[in-house]
Amino acid sequence: MRYALQTIAVVVLFIALPITTVRAQPYGLQVAESVETRSESQLDITAGVVFNSDGSCVGLRDTFACTEDVRIFAEVGAVTLKDANTDLAAQGGFTVSLPIDVPFDLGVRGAVYGSNGDATDTIGGNLMALASKEAFYPNLFFYGGLGLDYRSIQTGQDTSTEETDRVTDPLLSLGTLLPLNEHLLVYIEVTVTDDPFIGCGLRYR
């Protein structure tokens, strides 16, 4: 079972990465984690890519467990929109595990993100309720989240051509963490706001 999961994770990752050269998502990595309690001061590193028909985003995230129930994260990345240059992006936020006695783990996640470019500036944030479950095998997690995403997108080179769009959308994410070994996992995630996004990457615990 363990070697089958490792094989599936590696195959999916290497299939998905070449696709991201032509399709990807702006603004930041997705949830990419489960919401069970962690050891205090635990440090996780996540590297991944997100994509759809509008652009691409690659990112590197550092997640720190302040307590067993509270984690904060910071992320830097690069966003490439269709017919645009590659811009710098950043994201930060928190995840809180909730002490509710149910057969799966529950939590709340909040994040703010932004990117700054020559023609487009974006700033936004989202808030989600999360659930995750370890099943079938140690460190094999399935997770999902539901919430709202708000973003403000400013386009134009100067004040005479500037336009600002403000959008609020429902936000749904479903994903899985597949263990390669005790510390290294592959994540695969699908997110839907106004459009579907697909992401994958590696997480080190």
Side-chain angles (χ1 to χ4, degrees), residues 55-79:
S56 67
C57 176
V58 295
L60 182 65
R61 177 185 298 169
D62 183 2
T63 304
F64 178 75
C66 304
T67 69
E68 291 184 351
D69 298 320
V70 178
R71 299 183 291 279
I72 57 174
F73 64 88
E75 175 188 319
V76 293
V79 172

Side-chain angles (χ1 to χ4, degrees), residues 5-205:
L5 289 172
Q6 292 177 344
T7 302
I8 292 170
V10 171
V11 168
V12 170
L13 184 63
F14 277 87
I15 289 174
L17 284 177
I19 297 174
T20 63
T21 60
V22 293
R23 302 183 69 192
Q25 183 232 2
Y27 315 132
L29 299 183
Q30 298 149 289
V31 175
E33 72 166 322
S34 52
V35 290
E36 80 285 359
T37 58
R38 308 278 173 82
S39 300
E40 187 174 339
S41 301
Q42 179 175 321
L43 189 65
D44 294 3
I45 304 295
T46 306
V49 61
V50 193
F51 57 95
N52 79 343
S53 58
D54 293 330
S56 67
C57 176
V58 295
L60 182 65
R61 177 185 298 169
D62 183 2
T63 304
F64 178 75
C66 304
T67 69
E68 291 184 351
D69 298 320
V70 178
R71 299 183 291 279
I72 57 174
F73 64 88
E75 175 188 319
V76 293
V79 172
T80 303
L81 299 177
K82 184 187 293 185
D83 303 322
N85 296 326
T86 298
D87 301 323
L88 199 60
Q91 182 175 207
F94 67 90
T95 302
V96 178
S97 300
L98 299 177
I100 300 175
D101 188 15
V102 291
F104 45 86
D105 299 306
L106 290 174
V108 177
R109 179 185 188 270
V112 293
Y113 58 81
S115 69
N116 181 262
D118 294 334
T120 304
D121 294 333
T122 302
I123 187 168
N126 50 63
L127 186 66
M128 303 178 72
L130 297 178
S132 68
K133 176 70 174 177
E134 185 179 22
F136 308 123
Y137 188 80
N139 286 331
L140 171 60
F141 289 93
F142 299 92
Y143 62 88
L146 183 65
L148 289 174
D149 180 79
Y150 169 83
R151 59 195 176 277
S152 174
I153 305 169
Q154 186 178 78
T155 58
Q157 298 285 352
D158 52 52
T159 54
S160 62
T161 59
E162 276 184 5
E163 293 185 8
T164 301
D165 291 326
R166 295 178 176 86
V167 182
T168 301
D169 286 311
L171 176 62
L172 171 68
S173 268
L174 297 171
T176 183
L177 286 161
L178 303 170
L180 296 179
N181 56 42
E182 184 180 356
H183 298 289
L184 190 63
L185 304 95
V186 169
Y187 78 86
I188 304 160
E189 186 171 341
V190 176
T191 300
V192 179
T193 53
D194 54 344
D195 290 309
F197 303 102
I198 299 175
C200 63
L202 294 171
R203 187 175 183 91
Y204 181 82
R205 289 183 169 179

